Amino acid sequence: MEYELGFALRNAWLILAIPFLSFLLVGLLVRPLSEKAAGIIATLAVFASAAFAYAMAAEFLTLGAATGWKTFVPWSFEWLRFQERMAVHIGVLVDPISILLLVVVTTVSSLVHLYSLGYMHGEAGFGRYFTFLNLFTFSMLGLVTAPNLLQMFVCWELVGASSFCLIGFYFDRPSAVAASKKAFIVTRFADLGFLLGILILGYFGYQVAGEVGGTRQAFDFLFLTDPVVMGKLNAIGAGILGIPVLTLALCLVYMGGAGKSAMFPLHVWLPDAMEGPTPVSALIHAATMVVAGVYLVARLFPLFATSGDALLVVGYIGAFTALFAAVIACTQDDIKRVLAYSTLSQLGYMMFALGVASVEHPLGYTASMFHLFTHAFFKALLFLGAGSVIHAVHSNEIWRMGGLRRKMPVTHLTFAIATLAIAGIWPFAGFFSKDEVLAAALGSGHYGIFGIGLLVAGITAFYMSRIYFAAFWGGARTEGASHAHESPVIMLIPLVVLAVLSVVAGFFPIGEFVRFGAGHGAPHGINPAIAAAGTFAGVLGIGLAWAIYGSGGTARAEALARAFGGAYTVVRRKFYVDELYLFVTHKIIVRFVAAPIAWFDRAIVDGGVNLSAKGGRLFGFALGSLQTGQVQAYGSWFAGGAVLLVLVLWGLQ
Amino acid sequence: MIEQLATMAPGPLHWLVLTALLFAIGTYGILTRRNAVGVLMAVELALNSGALNFVVFNRYVAPAGVDGQIMSIFVIAVAAAEVVVGMAIFVVLFRHRQTVDVTRMNRIRD
């Protein structure tokens, strides 16, 4: 490195070490002594990593301007060596998007930790909660800073495991247990694809590594995204079924990303994951872990752009998910489920922004990261606001709330800001990023995706305003809502901080340093036509929601639901995707695959083992009856045997 | 062979048949007697058949030395000591169980 690194970048390992050591300390030593101390230490540790991440970001920003935002690995050590050019390092990779994610993850994580101190106060398992939260933060940071595919995969599984533990935090509730298992199994199924993709990339990467020389390892991102290597990988040509090897590998990798980011049809786990504590939903299932899939695609974006076809898959699945989830969100009554479907929809936004990007039109890459950045803040704010409301009303149903505007002024104000931000109203953060995503879709000539994006922007504004009006306007509909009062200050501080971020994040000049390719450096300004269209869609959605739900009553909503009839029911039942999954898994896979295998296992495999055991037992019983306890009987056997032996030896002579 | 045994003067074959018979009778007694004292007596027969064998082979195989005869004296001395120990055990056994029937000494089985 020809440039002088600052303290934070020279000691980049601390970004992983702080939360990991805190996880061990809190989980093993502090938690048995004091649950409260465990929470406080965990929170302090995450704040420390946030401070460290800011220091890294500051150094990178000053350094980056000089080096042209070069990607580099300031710290790493060798972990596994399979072959000469196939070693796996544990390390910290620094480039604009990893720094961006570091800042987002540590910021949201520290605010969620702080919020949880208030939200989880007095709950059983307080210390356990913070232990897992710390583990999650460590894993997520490890994922974000991974310099190669395998470290990413390991941390990928670790975030999945900590997510599993936190969704099932209330493990005495059967629904929470079911939800955690569902999340784990669905994402694990997707990760099978990811692993296969890694193996294919690693295999061919290793071959290419032999051809091109150099010192980089086959799994390294810096190796895989090298132009020469990408060209060689792309030239390998057809693999299975006539699909080029590179496209196949990337589609498999994307399958992992789609599972983690809950893209259709692997989205089913995310709404159920809302069984976890609300701050967990804010951190893991809104701001950080679920964007790992987007991050993965962004990390391998040069490869995806080389393949082209794989990127189209990403784009169309993203666009479909955005629309699909947005429509479902309009009919759900559980405030957290609406937010979960909203998250799906926004993740679809980020995915299709990546999908429409290409080497010629790389704006989508910047737009996707920008939307990821702003979305993390306002979606975390929405979840934490929802948590504050749930904390006060003791219910998730929006129809059991109402009139909370005066009783919870801070929550109301911050929730309103977040709603406006996600609806894409100027000057809130969502306006800028959504505008950029739409501009990217239009600019690259994907008019269909642009249309879907605009439509989804309107629907998003509608369903977000729906829950906003239903929860905060009108009169209190239940006892719980009428006796609600504002949450403690420790919960309000994160809300206010996130609200400020949701306002100012949009002005962050992200195009200055998160960009792809040279020569397209000019940061994208606001395109008035697109901005007007987006804002119009947002205002229309809000207006429609106000007309239906603004009064606080449910009469108009019910009338509308009746008017739509069957269509409404289908959407409300989430297009029966869960039922379809149950049908496929229970009726087809269980009956025709699992049941015969289980029979074979029980009858043939176990049967064989049991048979030999039974044979041995019978033989033992038969021999046991000879043991009479009569020494003279034994003597007779002995004498008879001796005589027999003599006769045999005699006969053999 | 029987005729040879009946007509000839006593030779090694006669003595060996005698010891074999003694041993067989002793073994039969060990395996069938129910009284422990009877078993002990049968053991004496078997032991003495062995002792007699020593003497016989000493006489016919290596008449110069007396090793076999000394060994048989050893066997007689050991047998005497064994009888003393055995009888002492039977006395104690009888005190405990009022019987010396060996077929009832099967407590260790279960």
Side-chain angles (χ1 to χ4, degrees), chain A residues 627-630 632 635-636 639, chain B residues 30-31 33 39 102-103 106 109:
Chain A
Q627 190 180 4
T628 55
Q630 300 294 336
Q632 288 175 323
S636 306
Chain B
I30 291 169
L31 295 178
R33 297 300 297 183
V39 173
V102 291
T103 59
N106 57 358
R109 183 194 177 201

Side-chain angles (χ1 to χ4, degrees), chain A residues 298-322:
Chain A
R299 168 63 68 218
L300 289 174
F301 183 73
L303 266 182
F304 274 93
T306 308
S307 162
D309 290 341
L311 208 52
L312 279 184
V313 172
V314 174
Y316 282 105
I317 291 182
F320 179 74
T321 308

Side-chain angles (χ1 to χ4, degrees), chain A residues 407-419:
Chain A
K407 300 191 187 74
M408 309 179 74
V410 180
T411 305
H412 165 249
L413 186 66
T414 52
F415 200 91
I417 289 173
T419 305

Side-chain angles (χ1 to χ4, degrees), chain A residues 358-377:
Chain A
S358 61
V359 180
E360 296 78 33
H361 297 279
L363 179 63
Y365 176 75
T366 308
S368 173
M369 288 297 110
F370 193 19
H371 198 56
L372 188 160
F373 178 67
T374 58
H375 172 258
F377 297 130

